[in-house]
Amino acid sequence: MNFLAIVGEALRALRQNRLRTGLTMLGMIIGVAAVVLMLSIGQGAQTKINQTIAEMGSNLFIVVPGATSSGGFSFGSGSIRTLTIHDAQAIAELPTISATAPVISGTAQLNYAAKNWSTLITGTTPDYFSVGNWKIESGTTFTESDLRSANRVVVLGSVTAQNLFGDEDPVGKTIRITNRPFLVVGVLMAKGQSLTGRDQDDNIFIPITTSERQITGNQFPGSIRLMLVQCKSADEMDIAEIEITQLLRQRHRIAKGKENDFTVRNLTALADVATGAAKVMSMVLGAIASVSLLVGGIGIMNIMLVSVTERTREIGIRMAIGANQRAILTQFLLEAMMICFMGGLIGLLLGIGGAWVVSQVADMLIVITLGMIGLAFLFASAVGIFFGFYPAKKAASLKPVDALRYE
Amino acid sequence: MLSIQTNHVGHSLIRIEDLCKSYDLQDASGNTITNQVLFNINLTINQGEFVAIMGHSGSGKSTLMNILGCLDTSTSGSYWLSEKNVAKLTNDELARIRNQKIGFVFQGFNLLKRVTALDNVATPLLYAGVGRSQSRKQALELLRRTGLENFAMHQPNQLSGGQQQRVAISRALINQPPLILADEPTGNLDTQTSREIMLLFQQLNRDQGITIVLVTHEDDIAAYARRLIRLKDGHIIYDKNNNTNISVDKLSRIFPA
Ligand SMILES: Nc1ncnc2c1ncn2[C@@H]1O[C@H](COP(=O)(O)OP(=O)(O)OP(=O)(O)O)[C@@H](O)[C@H]1O
Ligand SMILES: [Mg+2]
């Protein structure tokens, strides 16, 4: 019997038992859809984290005042004032370091025309934008000379710009920050949420000198909230961390054996932890989905075994009229595989559709790759062959007379 | 094996020597008991014969037919089909023999359920490697000759018993086998339909030289055959020519050649 004819026989058998075929297929559909959905959610989360990390800037340290607390570190421990702008300048001189950006921050009330907006204000240096991987949408950042003269210039985050100006171009306009006029020199490109889920685009940036003297004020002149430190290369991160620590201990005159009054954190290492967590999550999701695929496969085996028993007489008749073992084996195996293949296809479409719905409803990034589709199909066919083979083999190895006599 | 025997049976289609068949059964206490069904059967059937095997229920007729049809194997003894030792054949070769050399007709028709008469008849051709459309064409031609062309698209449960049996006979004939084995082919049919089926067999035997071996309980069915074999408790108790054979010439032809 040629292969096409066997395909025809298998298709006919499936069509004859539509309900059974459909129910069996359902197990496969759900399994494959779940796998695709889970993988795409996992992959999406990973991609999102990778994007955020890339946008955060590479080879970064964050240095904050205060000793390392047992509960990790926090960005906001504002009471301790041990780090200064001069510390930042000194660290920038280290050979392994490419740039530093000291930051003082607070909130401020903004006015433009009749509009009011309250937002986070960051006082920093021009290097902040390159260190933090910020890109300019229009205009420029403020300059070293703005910093030296403590000019009233401001760079707006995209959300802030949108809220104050709408469709108008903010560059060259003057806004009021806590009632002082500032010239808008640039608008940043949107970055989205940070790893911690904060909107990074509702923010304004002014020279740290201007901020200290005119906006946030400072009880301890020269002290800063935190600083970003960028290392020249990923390989030198470990050395750089030691150098920063030594330099700061020297500058702060900390005696041997005494605790640091600052904390150096490797942001890249933190990012790795986040990436690792996302990977584990997508693996767990995938594993859970695989279980449903496995259950679907066992369902197929179950149905095929019932089918073999139910159709024993048919198998006997086919053998009596000349079917050899291979023809019987192929027919039953094909039936199982067709269920898997069709179920896999429908499941794939459902999974992609489901992923789209999730991305719309939950506003999540969903990533579907060709590899994923291939994997789902490979898995579905493997399940079909694996769970279809045993019943098919059972059918084919029946003795014709026994099959024919079967009641 | 004696060489004399091999020589003088040059034209036999079926040759059976000292064939025995027994079944091993478990009794209530788990002991194996052997139930012998066929005892030292010796039988030669030549090409073109029309043989009826008779006997009471349980005498081993079906068992013998299943062995003849390569559906079952004997416990001991030997079976040559077209001079081939069946015991030495592989499963695939046996399947090919069932496909090419033997046409089966059963008491219960044994058509494939929910498959049209046309496709039922065509299936052995598919297993022979012929394409689907060619198979259907030949099947339709055969159905036309058995007067069933209007029922080609009917499924078995939409056909009468006689029609189903004629579909089954068409299926048995499609690969033009030299041998037809029919186990109580008229067992489920009324007298008139039985007569039509028997005439069909007789005609196939007479006009196409097809060897027919059929099992029956009834004397008037056996009367159509030219040789009668009677089994009793697994032994052949007689094997003789049938001189009162009903000739097809005296009756209307229902199967135009
Ligand atoms: N698979 C089997 N296992 C055990 N015993 C069997 C098996 N098949 C047949 N027998 C026994 O073999 C004997 C002969 O059975 P067989 O079917 O050949 O009889 P038969 O002559 O065809 O009878 P009938 O006219 O009723 O069809 C019976 O006693 C039966 O119980
Ligand atoms: Mg019988």
Side-chain angles (χ1 to χ4, degrees):
Chain A
M1 191 181 221
N2 63 41
F3 186 72
L4 253 166
I6 300 180
V7 171
E9 295 294 297
L11 267 176
R12 179 160 61 196
L14 291 179
R15 234 181 293 123
Q16 273 168 16
N17 285 294
R18 256 174 230 170
L19 182 66
R20 191 174 66 190
T21 305
L23 285 175
T24 317
M25 218 182 266
L26 201 61
M28 212 60 222
I29 291 172
I30 293 171
V32 171
V35 167
V36 170
L37 187 62
M38 294 300 169
L39 285 181
S40 65
I41 288 176
Q43 189 70 47
Q46 250 171 303
T47 309
K48 178 74 203 167
I49 285 173
N50 288 341
Q51 269 176 15
T52 311
I53 288 166
E55 279 170 4
M56 197 171 76
S58 49
N59 310 334
L60 281 192
F61 291 104
I62 186 162
V63 185
V64 292
T68 315
S69 61
S70 52
F73 80 113
S74 112
F75 287 95
S77 51
S79 54
I80 313 156
R81 298 290 176 178
T82 52
L83 279 183
T84 64
I85 294 174
H86 305 294
D87 286 335
Q89 283 162 350
I91 288 170
E93 300 300 314
L94 286 171
T96 49
I97 303 302
S98 57
T100 60
V103 168
I104 57 179
S105 57
T107 50
Q109 187 70 32
L110 314 183
N111 300 92
Y112 174 71
K115 290 202 191 96
N116 279 307
W117 189 250
S118 174
T119 188
L120 200 67
I121 180 165
T122 300
T124 187
T125 58
D127 280 342
Y128 182 86
F129 301 100
S130 67
V131 170
N133 203 22
W134 287 98
K135 290 180 189 67
I136 288 285
E137 171 92 48
S138 68
T140 58
T141 62
F142 50 80
T143 62
E144 289 293 335
S145 81
D146 289 326
L147 191 69
R148 275 192 300 276
S149 356
N151 286 339
R152 286 180 182 172
V153 287
V154 62
V155 174
L156 304 180
S158 60
V159 170
T160 314
Q162 178 65 33
N163 280 310
L164 277 183
F165 289 93
D167 293 337
E168 220 179 315
D169 182 10
V171 178
K173 306 275 167 20
T174 301
I175 62 168
R176 299 183 83 80
I177 305 175
T178 52
N179 273 327
R180 291 181 179 85
F182 274 73
L183 179 68
V184 178
V185 292
V187 178
L188 296 173
M189 244 146 83
K191 225 176 181 185
Q193 289 183 350
S194 73
L195 272 182
T196 51
R198 191 172 50 82
D199 183 354
Q200 304 176 82
D201 299 319
D202 190 6
N203 208 341
I204 63 170
F205 303 86
I206 61 173
I208 192 167
T209 45
T210 320
S211 172
E212 196 181 57
R213 286 172 216 166
Q214 304 182 28
I215 303 295
T216 45
N218 209 335
Q219 311 164 248
F220 310 99
S223 74
I224 57 173
R225 188 70 168 269
L226 58 90
M227 73 172 107
L228 295 178
V229 179
Q230 188 166 43
C231 182
K232 276 181 181 148
S233 85
D235 302 336
E236 290 176 331
M237 291 290 278
D238 292 341
I239 308 164
E241 186 168 346
I242 295 164
E243 285 181 355
I244 293 166
T245 309
Q246 279 174 350
L247 182 67
L248 285 178
R249 282 182 73 93
Q250 240 171 50
R251 290 179 57 86
H252 295 186
R253 300 203 170 75
I254 298 168
K256 230 182 179 158
K258 282 263 170 64
E259 217 176 57
N260 292 341
D261 61 357
F262 58 89
T263 304
V264 181
R265 287 285 170 173
N266 184 334
L267 277 189
T268 313
L270 275 181
D272 287 348
V273 172
T275 317
K279 240 181 215 148
V280 169
M281 182 186 87
S282 55
M283 265 159 64
V284 169
L285 289 178
I288 292 170
S290 305
V291 169
S292 66
L293 202 55
L294 195 73
V295 172
I298 293 170
I300 288 177
M301 176 148 86
N302 194 0
I303 295 287
M304 292 310 291
L305 278 173
V306 171
S307 171
V308 164
T309 315
E310 211 181 81
R311 288 158 65 194
T312 304
R313 232 190 139 74
E314 178 198 324
I315 294 165
I317 296 170
R318 287 182 183 278
M319 286 174 162
I321 62 177
N324 58 21
Q325 295 191 338
R326 194 159 34 85
I328 301 286
L329 183 86
T330 316
Q331 181 184 332
F332 278 82
L333 198 55
L334 269 175
E335 282 182 29
M337 284 184 66
M338 279 174 184
I339 289 177
C340 285
F341 193 77
M342 288 187 265
L345 197 69
I346 298 171
L348 183 68
L349 295 178
L350 270 182
I352 292 174
W356 183 82
V357 170
V358 168
S359 74
Q360 296 299 304
V361 172
D363 195 25
M364 272 163 79
L365 181 71
I366 299 293
V367 174
I368 292 162
T369 63
L370 267 180
M372 236 181 252
I373 294 170
L375 192 77
F377 255 98
L378 207 76
F379 218 59
S381 328
V383 163
I385 294 172
F386 186 79
F387 290 107
F389 189 79
Y390 174 66
K393 186 80 200 158
K394 201 177 160 208
S397 51
L398 283 172
K399 220 169 143 190
V401 66
D402 295 334
L404 267 174
R405 276 227 193 96
Y406 189 86
E407 292 299 331
Chain B
M1 187 48 50
L2 295 171
S3 60
I4 304 163
Q5 283 174 310
T6 331
N7 287 339
H8 90 228
V9 286
H11 301 292
S12 64
L13 180 64
I14 287 171
R15 185 158 53 90
I16 278 175
E17 279 164 11
D18 286 329
L19 185 130
C20 299
K21 176 70 179 176
S22 49
Y23 293 102
D24 283 342
L25 297 168
Q26 305 277 319
D27 69 6
S29 48
N31 301 319
T32 306
I33 45 165
T34 304
N35 173 26
Q36 187 156 3
V37 178
L38 294 175
F39 297 84
N40 299 78
I41 303 287
N42 286 285
L43 178 65
T44 302
I45 296 172
N46 291 319
Q47 181 67 54
E49 285 201 75
F50 189 165
V51 185
I53 298 175
M54 304 186 64
H56 295 297
S57 185
S59 57
K61 306 181 296 292
S62 294
T63 306
L64 180 60
M65 286 291 270
N66 288 335
I67 294 172
L68 290 181
C70 303
L71 294 169
D72 201 358
T73 48
S74 61
T75 314
S76 68
S78 44
Y79 170 26
W80 278 270
L81 179 66
S82 302
E83 297 306 310
K84 277 196 199 107
N85 187 348
V86 169
K88 296 229 169 82
L89 300 177
T90 63
N91 281 330
D92 275 4
E93 285 168 327
L94 290 173
R96 200 170 315 121
I97 283 182
R98 289 193 294 264
N99 184 240
Q100 298 288 319
K101 298 266 190 263
I102 304 171
F104 288 95
V105 180
F106 302 93
Q107 176 175 1
F109 318 131
N110 273 345
L111 296 174
L112 295 172
K113 277 182 220 158
R114 281 177 279 183
V115 172
T116 60
L118 183 70
D119 282 337
N120 257 297
V121 177
T123 308
L125 273 180
L126 294 181
Y127 285 121
V130 178
R132 191 171 283 274
S133 59
Q134 175 65 21
S135 302
R136 283 197 172 138
K137 223 172 91 186
Q138 289 187 36
L140 190 64
E141 170 63 17
L142 205 53
L143 283 177
R144 204 177 53 73
R145 286 207 279 143
T146 30
L148 285 169
E149 74 251 61
N150 293 333
F151 300 93
M153 298 320 283
H154 285 227
Q155 294 184 355
N157 59 0
Q158 299 164 329
L159 294 171
S160 75
Q163 288 166 336
Q164 285 187 61
Q165 197 59 302
R166 276 192 284 167
V167 171
I169 293 171
S170 304
R171 181 180 67 183
L173 290 172
I174 190 111
N175 275 328
Q176 297 175 302
L179 173 63
I180 282 186
L181 298 175
D183 193 348
E184 301 193 43
T186 59
N188 288 2
L189 303 175
D190 65 23
T191 322
Q192 175 56 26
T193 319
S194 298
R195 207 176 74 96
E196 284 171 17
I197 295 291
M198 288 317 295
L199 289 174
L200 183 53
F201 278 133
Q202 211 168 39
Q203 208 184 315
L204 289 168
N205 173 251
R206 206 201 55 152
D207 296 347
Q208 297 179 33
I210 297 174
T211 310
I212 291 170
V213 180
L214 82 87
V215 163
T216 182
H217 281 293
E218 296 159 65
D219 290 336
D220 50 341
I221 293 296
Y224 289 85
R226 283 184 289 168
R227 178 178 167 190
L228 302 177
I229 293 172
R230 183 168 284 277
L231 275 181
K232 188 171 188 243
D233 299 331
H235 299 272
I236 291 181
I237 56 167
Y238 75 66
D239 180 352
K240 61 177 187 189
N241 287 335
N242 177 18
N243 300 321
T244 58
N245 159 274
I246 303 170
S247 170
V248 73
D249 297 329
K250 296 175 192 158
L251 296 154
S252 61
R253 289 185 147 200
I254 57 142
F255 185 59

